[in-house]
């Protein structure tokens, strides 16, 4: 292995996804000499196989639904079907534009970019393309890939992952979605809008099971109304090919048949064969373990993003990467409060939240110390105009701060910005209630909910 001893970087980053490139950009901005190593395309899963392409599909589905339902708004439109070639062209144009912009940023910040498959070769070096890249610190940011179950082979034909689903050239007539978490319900929602008959199989009791139970129930009600079927509370047993599709059998013997099976049970870390354990990095089930400052047990090595067992969200990766860069540059850093991270599931209707659930709040503070309030979007003018249904639920410590905001409804993801300020600044309902929210907006529902919680409801019943 040739050792390029002429340069020792301040920071060598293995992986150019959300966490890796955020650390590279912030590190370079702070004067660090940074090398960024990526085997695929900078931007990683989020840009190329996750957040951005799935949201483009969901928006195309939203347009399809609006065309079908236009008559209720007095608009005469005809829906003639989905042109997947054109949908994919639109999706790819969005990705391409963002990718070019990101490449420009990397270049303008003078980050030393190396395309190739890297491997950790010591606590201060990464081997790539026959070269040893030396650094005073190494950041591991190799991300994640779709997971499967023992005995369930994802073949890319009738049994597919989200990666395959994003590249489909047709709309499946029917599909079984294995997994009712974020990935599963987003694809179920988009495909239903495209015209696919959907059945979701989720082993736990509810869809989006990490959300507040009220949000899960509201989403289930909305999915029933849309004709999206789901089976909850029974785990998967096996999948097998039929003459023209696939059959899924559950642990209780119940079976479902469809053209395709989408395996959407989450994502697992990319860490095998990359030299992590050989260099003494502590691991658990493939994840790299870190402290609150993203540092591993090896002082010269940090890790961020989907590789570590924190929330698998692009914006979490950004924040973790920035934290590492600022720590290495000598700035004072504050650990991330993961409860304070906004979460959005971009199905129709959207599910958004920040803070803790009502159940978690009762566990922490005691049932008698927790107050919960639900504000129905039926009382919100803009939501009426949009013909969306849902709720904003607030969870408060009695006579104290709001510790959870949980929302279901179209465009609720756009309201989570104020919600995260309320949680992270430990706002009292009375403090939010005195702020004036524009009318008519959906954002106004946030103000109305806090008015009600503060004991002075306006467009809500006492």
């Amino acid at each position: 292995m040739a050792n390029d001893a002429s340069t020792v970087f301040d920071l060598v980053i293995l992986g150019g996804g959300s966490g890796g490139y955020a650390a590279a950009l912030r590190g370079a901005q702070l004067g660090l000499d940074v090398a960024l190593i990526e085997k695929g395309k900078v931007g990683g899963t989020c840009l190329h196989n996750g957040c951005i392409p799935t949201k483009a599909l969901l928006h195309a589905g939203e347009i399809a639904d609006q065309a079908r339902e236009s008559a209720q708004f007095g608009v005469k439109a005809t829906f003639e079907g989905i042109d997947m070639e054109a949908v994919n062209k639109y999706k790819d144009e969005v990705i391409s534009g963002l990718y070019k912009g990101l490449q420009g940023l990397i270049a303008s910040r003078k980050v030393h970019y190396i395309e190739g498959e890297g491997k950790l070769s010591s606590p201060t070096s990464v081997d790539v393309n026959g070269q040893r890249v030396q650094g005073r610190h190494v950041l591991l940011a190799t991300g994640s890939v779709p997971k499967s179950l023992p005995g369930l082979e994802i073949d890319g034909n009738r049994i597919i992952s989200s990666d395959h689903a994003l590249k489909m050239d047709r709309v499946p007539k029917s599909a079984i979605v294995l997994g009712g978490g974020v990935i599963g319900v987003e694809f179920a929602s988009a495909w239903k809008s495209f015209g696919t008959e959907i059945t979701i199989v989720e082993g736990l009791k509810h869809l989006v099971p990490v959300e507040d139970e009220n949000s899960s129930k509201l989403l289930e009600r909305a999915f029933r109304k849309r004709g999206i079927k789901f089976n909850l509370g029974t785990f998967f047993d096996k999948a097998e090919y039929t003459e023209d599709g696939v059959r899924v059998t559950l642990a209780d013997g119940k079976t479902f048949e469809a053209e395709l099976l989408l395996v959407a049970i989450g994502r697992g870390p990319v860490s095998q064969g990359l030299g992590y354990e050989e260099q003494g990095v502590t691991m658990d089930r493939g994840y790299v373990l870190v402290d609150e400052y993203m540092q591993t047990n090896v002082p010269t090595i940090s890790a961020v993003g989907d590789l570590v067992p924190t929330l698998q969200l692009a914006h979490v990766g950004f924040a973790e990467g920035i934290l590492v860069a600022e720590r290495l540059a000598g700035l004072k850093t504050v650990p991330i409060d993961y409860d304070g991270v906004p979460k959005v599931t971009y199905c129709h209707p959207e599910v958004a939240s920040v803070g803790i659930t009502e159940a978690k709040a009762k566990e922490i503070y005691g049932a008698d110390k927790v107050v919960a309030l639900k504000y129905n979007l039926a009382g919100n003018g803009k939501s009426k105009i949009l013909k969306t249904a849902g709720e904003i639920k607030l969870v408060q410590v009695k006579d104290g701060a709001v510790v959870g905001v949980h929302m279901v409804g179209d465009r609720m993801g756009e309201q989570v910005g104020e919600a995260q300020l309320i949680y992270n600044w430990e706002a009292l309902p009375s403090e939010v209630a005195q702020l004036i929210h524009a009318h008519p907006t959906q954002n106004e529902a946030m103000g109305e909910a806090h008015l009600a919680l503060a004991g002075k409801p306006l467009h809500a019943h006492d």
Side-chain angles (χ1 to χ4, degrees):
M1 179 64 63
N3 184 8
D4 183 7
S6 60
T7 303
V8 177
F9 293 95
D10 294 313
L11 176 59
V12 176
I13 303 168
L14 183 54
S18 301
Y21 86 68
L25 293 175
R26 183 60 176 141
Q29 190 177 53
L30 292 170
L32 300 180
D33 196 8
V34 180
L36 179 61
I37 300 165
E38 168 56 48
K39 68 177 182 180
K41 292 181 176 180
V42 67
T45 295
C46 174
L47 178 54
H48 301 286
N49 302 99
C51 324
I52 299 301
T54 53
K55 279 48 175 185
L57 291 184
L58 283 157
H59 183 61
E62 182 183 3
I63 300 297
D65 287 333
Q66 287 176 344
R68 287 189 192 95
E69 299 161 6
S70 64
Q72 64 180 313
F73 301 99
V75 177
K76 294 181 179 179
T78 304
F79 176 71
E80 296 183 7
I82 301 293
D83 179 349
M84 276 310 297
E85 185 179 347
V87 169
N88 285 328
K89 182 174 181 288
Y90 149 69
K91 165 180 66 71
D92 293 342
E93 283 173 352
V94 172
I95 295 168
S96 177
L98 291 170
Y99 178 47
K100 286 174 184 171
L102 182 54
Q103 287 176 305
L105 271 176
I106 296 287
S108 70
R109 298 273 175 93
K110 304 294 192 290
V111 172
H112 186 71
Y113 184 71
I114 304 168
E115 189 172 319
E117 188 164 356
K119 181 176 181 179
L120 187 68
S121 51
S122 83
T124 55
S125 67
V126 173
D127 290 351
V128 58
N129 301 338
Q131 175 189 356
R132 180 152 291 169
V133 184
Q134 300 276 0
R136 294 179 181 84
H137 201 92
V138 176
L139 175 61
L140 309 177
T142 43
S144 63
V145 288
K147 287 196 299 191
S148 189
L149 295 170
L152 178 58
E153 182 188 352
I154 297 175
D155 56 22
N157 183 10
R158 300 184 197 176
I159 302 176
I160 65 173
S161 71
S162 56
D163 287 352
H164 301 115
L166 287 170
K167 294 177 172 61
M168 288 188 64
D169 59 1
R170 71 185 196 284
V171 177
K173 290 187 177 66
S174 59
I176 299 163
V177 177
L178 181 59
V182 174
I183 299 169
V185 299
E186 286 189 351
F187 272 102
S189 184
W191 278 352
K192 180 63 179 179
S193 296
F194 288 171
T196 305
E197 285 302 311
I198 298 289
T199 302
I200 303 170
V201 172
E202 169 55 56
L204 299 178
K205 290 192 302 182
H206 289 291
L207 297 179
V208 288
V210 301
E211 295 290 346
D212 189 274
E213 189 173 317
N214 185 66
S215 294
S216 295
K217 288 178 177 177
L218 288 169
L219 180 64
E220 289 158 14
R221 183 190 306 166
F223 270 19
R224 282 191 200 97
K225 194 172 179 182
R226 290 186 63 193
I228 297 175
K229 299 170 187 170
F230 47 88
N231 192 92
L232 306 174
T234 307
F235 286 98
F236 169 88
D237 179 38
K238 64 180 179 179
E240 55 199 336
Y241 273 22
T242 61
E243 186 175 336
D244 54 1
V246 64
R247 178 186 301 114
V248 167
T249 305
L250 303 188
D252 62 1
K254 191 182 293 185
T255 62
F256 301 92
E257 292 191 17
E259 181 184 327
L260 287 177
L261 169 61
L262 171 62
V263 182
I265 58 167
R267 299 179 64 87
V270 174
S271 58
Q272 195 169 4
L274 295 177
Y276 299 169
E277 288 174 300
E278 290 88 333
Q279 300 307 322
V281 176
T282 302
M283 314 276 289
D284 180 30
R285 294 168 296 125
Y287 290 100
V288 172
L289 300 184
V290 292
D291 65 13
E292 60 188 348
Y293 295 99
M294 315 315 297
Q295 192 166 26
T296 72
N297 61 303
V298 180
T300 55
I301 300 175
S302 295
V304 297
D306 288 0
L307 182 61
V308 301
T310 56
L311 292 170
Q312 288 189 328
L313 298 167
H315 44 289
V316 167
F318 295 149
E320 291 172 344
I322 290 167
L323 188 154
V324 170
E326 292 184 347
R327 172 168 58 80
L328 295 178
L331 273 60
K332 184 181 178 182
T333 54
V334 178
I336 296 166
D337 174 6
Y338 291 98
D339 287 335
V341 173
K343 302 189 293 291
V344 185
T345 304
Y346 294 88
C347 49
H348 167 49
E350 291 182 349
V351 180
S353 66
V354 68
I356 58 177
T357 64
E358 181 180 359
K360 185 70 174 176
K362 288 178 176 177
E363 186 183 311
I364 295 171
Y365 301 104
D368 59 332
K369 296 289 195 296
V370 173
V371 177
L373 178 135
K374 298 175 187 176
Y375 178 79
N376 197 306
L377 293 182
N380 175 254
K382 188 60 182 286
S383 295
K384 276 282 194 186
I385 291 166
L386 295 172
K387 289 186 177 286
T388 187
E391 288 179 356
I392 292 178
K393 176 179 175 178
L394 305 178
V395 180
Q396 178 201 14
V397 178
K398 197 170 185 179
D399 300 323
V402 173
V403 295
V405 182
H406 306 276
M407 302 175 280
V408 177
D410 288 346
R411 305 186 186 180
M412 285 297 104
E414 302 303 322
Q415 309 312 317
V416 84
E418 183 179 8
Q420 75 161 331
L421 296 180
I422 290 165
Y423 171 85
N424 285 294
W425 288 350
E426 300 177 357
L428 301 174
S430 58
E431 292 171 328
V432 182
Q434 70 186 16
L435 302 175
I436 299 172
H437 293 72
H439 174 80
T441 62
Q442 286 187 292
N443 181 240
E444 184 182 15
M446 187 72 70
E448 293 271 359
H450 283 83
L451 279 166
L453 192 54
K456 47 180 184 180
L458 185 60
H459 298 101
H461 296 287
D462 292 346

